[in-house]
């Protein structure tokens, strides 16, 4: 099957792109790496009137360190991160996540902003950057706004992007040297989207933990204050005190009725916690 007919624009810079999107009549879709949009067009799961190609916008390919924060342009590719071409404020976390996304051909073209905009709860950056506490800069002709990823992703393949608005940048806070990281996903085979995923950022010295359970049929579950999973407190013994029954209850409250599916998610979460503690 081939895509339905559509118009095509390739703006010269970001203001021009925002102008095209703001003036578009009918449905407009943004294309960066095209790794999600291309297959959807071919299957006619989306039939836009206009494609706005932002893959050539230099201002969306920049990455710079500002103090302890990384400001990442939306068109930075997974391979850019995997190969260490951007500054690293996460002590190897983002590079590890990027290197395990799909296949190298996908990583060469796929972009961080595109992955987040697609809002697939099984996508790596959705969960990993949620756990890291990243925020997004959204731009439109009307102005700029900042949102957390938890505010941005509202459901499976559903975000708060308004018509004419794009993800312009991702701001990633630095990972403290005392913070432990664990990231585990379960896939039927290499390159497929995960059917269970967990990202954990635990800092025993600060008694904090941020845990994300992804690859569910809605927005990922973000537990910003995860002390209840560890008997009410977070310290150096968190691995031993992880309570799988509390995690199972959280998944049940989130609407995952099938006990087998909950067991898979809890198992992946426990492995991520063990990885963090290693």
């Amino acid at each position: 099957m081939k895509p339905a007919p559509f118009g095509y624009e390739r703006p010269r810079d970001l203001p021009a792109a925002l102008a095209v999107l703001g003036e578009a009549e009918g449905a407009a879709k943004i294309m960066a790496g095209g790794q999600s949009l291309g297959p959807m067009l071919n299957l006619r799961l989306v039939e836009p009137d206009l494609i706005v190609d932002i893959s050539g916008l230099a201002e969306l390919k920049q990455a710079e360190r500002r103090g302890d924060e990384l400001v990442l342009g939306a068109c930075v590719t997974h391979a850019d991160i995997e190969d260490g071409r951007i500054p690293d404020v996460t002590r190897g976390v983002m590079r590890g996540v990027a290197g395990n996304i799909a296949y190298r051909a996908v990583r060469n073209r796929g972009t961080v902003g595109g992955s987040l905009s697609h809002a697939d709860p099984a996508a790596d950056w959705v969960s990993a950057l949620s756990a890291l506490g990243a925020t997004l800069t959204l731009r439109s002709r009307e102005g700029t706004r900042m949102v957390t990823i938890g505010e941005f992703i509202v459901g499976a393949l559903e975000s708060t992007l308004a018509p004419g608005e794009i993800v312009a940048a991702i701001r990633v806070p630095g990972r403290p040297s005392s913070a432990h990281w664990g990231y585990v996903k379960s896939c039927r085979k290499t390159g497929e989207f995960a059917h269970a995923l967990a990202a954990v950022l635990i800092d025993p010295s600060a008694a904090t933990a941020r845990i994300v359970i992804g690859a569910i049929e809605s927005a990922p579950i973000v537990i910003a204050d995860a002390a209840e999973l560890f008997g009410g407190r977070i310290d150096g013994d968190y691995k031993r005190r992880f309570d799988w029954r509390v995690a199972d209850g959280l998944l049940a409250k989130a609407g995952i009725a099938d006990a087998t599916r909950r067991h898979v998610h809890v198992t992946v979460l426990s492995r991520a916690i063990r990885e963090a503690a290693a």
Side-chain angles (χ1 to χ4, degrees):
M1 187 181 294
K2 296 299 181 182
F6 55 81
Y8 175 83
E9 294 282 352
R10 186 178 171 87
R12 64 185 182 279
D13 55 29
L14 183 54
L18 297 177
V20 169
L21 288 167
E23 296 166 3
E25 296 181 2
K29 278 288 185 180
I30 299 165
M31 183 172 68
Q35 299 306 291
S36 297
L37 181 59
M40 293 178 74
L41 288 169
N42 279 339
L43 293 171
R44 298 202 179 190
L45 295 174
V46 294
E47 296 187 26
D49 300 297
L50 175 68
I51 295 290
V52 181
D53 185 349
I54 63 170
S55 62
L57 302 187
E59 56 261 66
L60 298 185
K61 297 180 180 181
Q62 304 300 313
E64 63 175 324
R65 187 169 188 159
R66 297 181 187 171
D68 292 330
E69 181 182 64
L70 172 66
V71 181
L72 193 69
C75 286
V76 168
T77 67
H78 315 316
D80 288 332
I81 298 171
E82 177 185 11
D83 294 345
R85 291 192 289 271
I86 66 163
D88 185 10
V89 299
T90 63
R91 299 167 58 82
V93 166
M94 290 184 67
R95 194 168 182 176
V97 171
N100 285 287
I101 294 174
Y103 304 99
R104 180 66 191 201
V106 171
R107 299 196 292 272
N108 285 339
R109 293 284 303 171
T111 65
V112 180
S115 177
L116 293 172
S117 299
H118 188 50
D120 191 323
D124 293 82
W125 291 126
V126 170
S127 291
L129 289 172
S130 292
L132 288 168
T135 58
L136 306 181
T137 301
L138 309 181
R139 292 276 306 274
S140 71
R141 216 168 40 162
E142 283 67 43
T144 301
R145 63 187 177 110
M146 302 280 292
V147 295
T148 67
I149 295 181
E151 294 166 335
F152 180 72
I153 306 290
V154 295
L157 306 179
E158 184 180 3
S159 75
T160 59
L161 270 179
E165 192 172 46
I166 72 170
V167 175
I170 302 97
R171 295 174 178 268
V172 186
R175 173 190 167 199
S177 59
S178 57
H180 303 172
W181 172 260
Y183 186 79
V184 173
K185 61 180 178 178
S186 176
C187 306
R188 290 178 177 84
K189 66 178 182 178
T190 301
E192 286 192 349
F193 278 110
H195 57 264
L197 188 158
V200 304
L201 184 69
I202 302 175
D203 192 342
S205 66
T208 61
R210 185 176 178 88
I211 288 175
V212 178
I213 300 171
I216 60 178
E217 293 177 359
S218 62
I221 300 170
V222 180
I223 310 168
D225 182 5
E228 62 181 316
L229 292 173
F230 304 98
R233 72 182 190 278
I234 297 162
D235 55 24
D237 197 28
Y238 65 83
K239 172 185 170 182
R240 185 182 65 81
R241 289 186 294 99
F242 170 64
D243 192 336
W244 66 267
R245 293 165 297 186
V246 175
D248 183 75
L250 288 171
L251 288 164
K253 287 180 183 178
I256 302 177
D258 184 82
T260 300
R261 287 190 60 215
R262 294 201 308 270
H263 174 74
V264 172
H265 283 286
V266 171
T267 299
V268 168
L269 174 57
S270 66
R271 288 175 181 170
I273 291 168
R274 290 200 300 271
E275 181 179 286

